[in-house]
């Protein structure tokens, strides 16, 4: 995988007069990246949107960057080879960081199967507390039985190359901040655990 | 130029429970994309950051997407050929749209020399009033005389390929919403004109 994460030649950094701290003070809460990882149909998008709704109702500025949604636009040129997945997550990491700088709570819901890609996104951040990793742990049999989009069926029929868990690997996170086993917890129980993890970080001013 | 602006295969749109309108109501102002265009050293970044400061002081949620800054991250893999410039602006357009969906005022400060690239970014938006095009008009002789970064000197020496105005074309916008001739107007006068254009669109709730 030859993912270039450098800067273009002949470019210079322009420091904004409005800082992240200024924006967070206006919002009265911190920005943070909540990075969901897990198999397809493990509940990432559903839980991310449910967390967003609860945070929004508390007056928090939020955005969900969703695997499917982003692939309609920013990453619509990419497929699902290992290299394209890495480039997809490289771009997502940078976009998430821009939202973080804007003082927003960014919820990213991507399979993000490779530790290397997740840790690269994490390493870009200035502060460890800017990153909350949520592992949607769910046995693949349960994911296959859900299969809302019929993707597992097609992957198992050999119709989709590079489908995580079928013909492309998934590397579980080693030290996630929160693990939710979505075969056992309800959506609202999962949301509760994630919100508790937020609040431990003195999230609101 | 073969810029693919499609969607990845096997992806499905997930509608968020929190809408752009919800976010704008929380912010008490609309989101909008303010797209600056003009030659290098025409004042785009300076004016964009000055507009941002003034809006922030009024309680507006803002972000500046700056040619130089974005090229440190999201588009750090791209150079300045016509094709790379188009891909750069394709990605920026999508990121700007994500911020717009988050109810944020996005100020983009890129040379964006080609009408085709600007109009593609504009066409992605649902509503014409989401787009405010600001043309930083400035004679190239004035830009060359500023040359804060020494780039014109190097381009004129043949050291930088594809440098807009020297060895790569600039297509002025046909119908910008605001034109500021930065060889005649001060930064604060330029800012004033842009803020006036905002307010004409019933920007605040």
């Amino acid at each position: 995988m030859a993912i270039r994460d450098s800067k273009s030649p002949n470019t210079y950094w322009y420091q904004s007069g409005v800082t992240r701290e200024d924006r967070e003070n206006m919002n009265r809460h911190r920005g943070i990246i909540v990075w969901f990882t897990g198999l397809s149909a493990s509940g990432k998008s559903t839980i991310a949107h449910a967390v967003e709704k609860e945070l929004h109702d508390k007056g928090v500025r939020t955005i969900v960057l969703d695997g499917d949604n982003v692939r309609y636009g920013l990453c619509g040129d990419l497929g699902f080879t290992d290299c394209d997945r890495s480039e997809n997550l490289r771009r997502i990491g940078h976009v998430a960081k821009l939202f973080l700088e804007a003082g927003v709570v960014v919820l990213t819901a991507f399979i993000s199967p490779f530790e290397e890609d997740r840790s690269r996104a994490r390493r870009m951040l200035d502060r460890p507390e800017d990153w909350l990793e949520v592992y949607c742990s769910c046995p693949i049999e349960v994911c296959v039985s859900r299969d809302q989009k019929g993707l597992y069926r097609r992957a198992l029929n050999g119709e989709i190359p590079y489908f995580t868990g079928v013909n492309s690997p998934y590397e579980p996170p080693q030290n996630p901040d929160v693990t939710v086993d979505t075969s056992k917890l309800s959506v609202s129980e999962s949301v509760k655990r994630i919100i508790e993890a937020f609040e431990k970080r003195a999230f609101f001013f």
Side-chain angles (χ1 to χ4, degrees), chain A:
Chain A
M1 279 179 279
I3 297 299
R4 285 179 60 193
D5 200 13
S6 54
K7 76 174 192 73
S8 302
N10 304 314
T11 56
Y12 300 83
W13 185 264
Y14 191 105
Q15 185 60 50
S16 170
V18 183
T19 67
R20 174 177 165 189
E21 194 181 3
D22 294 332
R23 302 176 206 275
E24 291 182 334
N25 284 333
M26 185 191 281
N27 290 347
R28 305 189 65 79
H29 64 78
R30 290 194 201 289
I32 191 169
I33 295 173
V34 187
W35 191 281
F36 289 78
T37 175
L39 294 170
S40 183
S42 64
K44 301 179 299 299
S45 279
T46 303
I47 297 170
H49 281 94
V51 170
E52 165 168 75
K53 183 76 174 77
E54 182 145 336
L55 289 173
H56 179 83
D57 291 345
K58 291 175 191 272
V60 174
R61 269 71 187 178
T62 58
I63 187 82
V64 174
L65 301 178
D66 183 283
D68 293 346
N69 298 7
V70 165
R71 280 179 173 275
Y72 274 77
L74 177 65
C75 298
D77 55 326
L78 301 174
F80 291 89
T81 63
D82 289 1
C83 191
D84 276 4
R85 281 175 191 271
S86 290
E87 172 61 12
N88 183 49
L89 295 175
R90 189 192 70 82
R91 294 185 198 169
I92 300 303
H94 283 294
V95 172
K97 193 177 178 190
L98 288 169
F99 275 100
L100 184 67
E101 292 299 320
V104 171
V105 174
V106 196
L107 304 120
T108 68
F110 302 89
I111 297 173
S112 45
F114 302 124
E115 175 57 32
E116 181 186 336
D117 295 326
R118 296 189 298 261
S119 67
R120 190 181 50 213
R122 191 174 60 236
R123 284 197 308 270
M124 286 194 307
L125 308 178
D126 299 324
R127 301 184 294 201
E129 66 267 27
D130 287 341
W131 178 270
L132 191 83
E133 194 166 273
V134 178
Y135 176 29
C136 288
S137 158
C138 185
I140 191 162
E141 299 76 25
V142 177
C143 295
V144 171
S145 72
R146 289 174 182 164
D147 202 19
Q148 300 98 328
K149 305 169 187 169
L151 293 175
Y152 280 105
R153 182 182 51 72
R154 291 175 53 206
L156 290 164
N157 283 342
E159 294 168 31
I160 305 178
Y162 305 107
F163 196 82
T164 300
V166 176
N167 46 14
S168 185
Y170 179 79
E171 299 169 2
Q174 297 304 304
N175 289 298
D177 296 286
V178 184
T179 299
V180 286
D181 181 340
T182 61
S183 69
K184 294 178 181 155
L185 294 176
S186 69
V187 171
S188 63
E189 286 166 334
S190 299
V191 170
K192 188 161 169 281
R193 290 204 186 177
I194 296 163
I195 300 278
E196 282 169 2
F198 270 128
E199 291 176 347
K200 278 191 192 149
R201 298 207 185 175
F203 182 70
F204 292 99
F205 298 162

